[in-house]
Amino acid sequence: MKKLIFATNNEHKVEEIRNKLGGIFEISTLKEIGCTEEIPEDSGTLEGNALQKAHYLYNNYGCNCFADDTGLEVEVLNNEPGVYSARYAGESKDSEANMDKLLYNLKDKSNRNARFRTVIALIIDGKEYLFEGIAKGIILTERHGSKGFGYDPIFQPDGYNQSFAELTMDEKNRISHRGKAIEKLIEFLSKHENIK
């Protein structure tokens, strides 16, 4: 079976991918290939970060691989926090502090339009491919729900009256930015079964 390394140790992400690609590819995590070092991720864009992580793996481990990066882009804040979403309130990557800062920055704003964007970078035999998924919605004025992670309690997707943190994992995956990007990746890989 063909092998692909996913630049993550997030078990949920890995399980989701394995369920959909298990018959075609063997998916391994960073931990499973013995990669314990901190992979650089200092580009100014989501695309740049995803490619940076994928190239690091490809160049150092010589394996076909993919990596993702996600950001929350708020229209009225010039698409902040964007690529800095995880460390919006500081290097500690504290989700509660990040939400507090975002809610504070939006307190006088009537335009609360936002979108989550995920970019997946795939490198196979030295060739790069990018896949993007977008979930549009609004930023709520306070937290709702306890599921999910990151900004989920304050993000309400279009067409729903619940936050991401109030939806079940299945409901969220069907409409989420990451889910859409993964679907594009899977569609591509399924059509290219002949790759090494």
Side-chain angles (χ1 to χ4, degrees), residues 9 32-33 45 57 67 78 80 119 128 142 160:
N9 281 316
E32 288 165 345
I33 63 164
T45 65
L57 279 183
N78 297 316
E80 279 186 14
V119 176
E128 295 174 6
E142 59 187 29
Y160 288 75

Side-chain angles (χ1 to χ4, degrees), residues 28-63:
S28 299
T29 63
L30 296 177
K31 190 174 166 186
E32 288 165 345
I33 63 164
C35 176
T36 55
E37 60 267 33
E38 191 75 27
I39 298 178
E41 195 177 352
D42 52 19
S43 167
T45 65
L46 299 177
E47 290 83 356
N49 276 345
L51 281 167
Q52 195 175 15
K53 289 188 278 188
H55 274 291
Y56 182 89
L57 279 183
Y58 190 80
N59 295 335
N60 288 282
Y61 291 85
C63 51

Side-chain angles (χ1 to χ4, degrees), residues 18-188:
R18 280 182 176 149
N19 284 342
K20 294 180 176 175
L21 278 177
I24 309 168
F25 288 90
E26 181 186 325
I27 308 293
S28 299
T29 63
L30 296 177
K31 190 174 166 186
E32 288 165 345
I33 63 164
C35 176
T36 55
E37 60 267 33
E38 191 75 27
I39 298 178
E41 195 177 352
D42 52 19
S43 167
T45 65
L46 299 177
E47 290 83 356
N49 276 345
L51 281 167
Q52 195 175 15
K53 289 188 278 188
H55 274 291
Y56 182 89
L57 279 183
Y58 190 80
N59 295 335
N60 288 282
Y61 291 85
C63 51
N64 291 330
C65 57
F66 63 98
D68 68 331
D69 198 23
T70 295
L72 174 64
E73 300 175 341
V74 181
E75 195 175 279
V76 75
L77 299 178
N78 297 316
N79 289 331
E80 279 186 14
V83 73
Y84 305 107
S85 293
R87 50 190 185 278
Y88 191 42
E91 289 302 318
S92 63
K93 297 185 177 180
D94 182 324
S95 293
E96 295 300 321
N98 287 338
M99 284 190 281
D100 286 342
K101 180 175 180 178
L102 184 57
L103 291 173
Y104 178 80
N105 288 342
L106 286 173
K107 70 182 190 311
D108 301 323
K109 307 282 193 284
S110 56
N111 176 359
R112 302 183 77 85
N113 293 336
R115 66 180 191 170
F116 269 116
R117 199 160 66 89
T118 290
V119 176
I120 294 176
L122 170 71
I123 300 182
I124 291 195
D125 303 332
K127 291 182 183 161
E128 295 174 6
Y129 305 91
L130 288 174
F131 307 92
E132 179 187 67
I134 292 173
K136 294 182 178 179
I138 58 165
I139 302 299
L140 299 166
T141 54
E142 59 187 29
R143 294 164 174 78
H144 292 273
S146 57
K147 300 185 191 89
F149 57 93
Y151 295 91
D152 286 358
I154 59 172
F155 181 82
Q156 180 178 298
D158 285 353
Y160 288 75
N161 55 12
Q162 296 163 295
S163 75
F164 262 172
E166 293 176 292
L167 299 176
T168 66
M169 191 56 73
D170 283 346
E171 287 172 323
K172 183 188 166 188
N173 286 342
R174 273 199 302 275
I175 60 167
S176 80
H177 42 295
R178 185 173 288 109
K180 289 173 183 175
I182 286 171
E183 286 301 330
K184 289 177 184 176
L185 170 72
I186 288 166
E187 187 181 351
F188 175 85

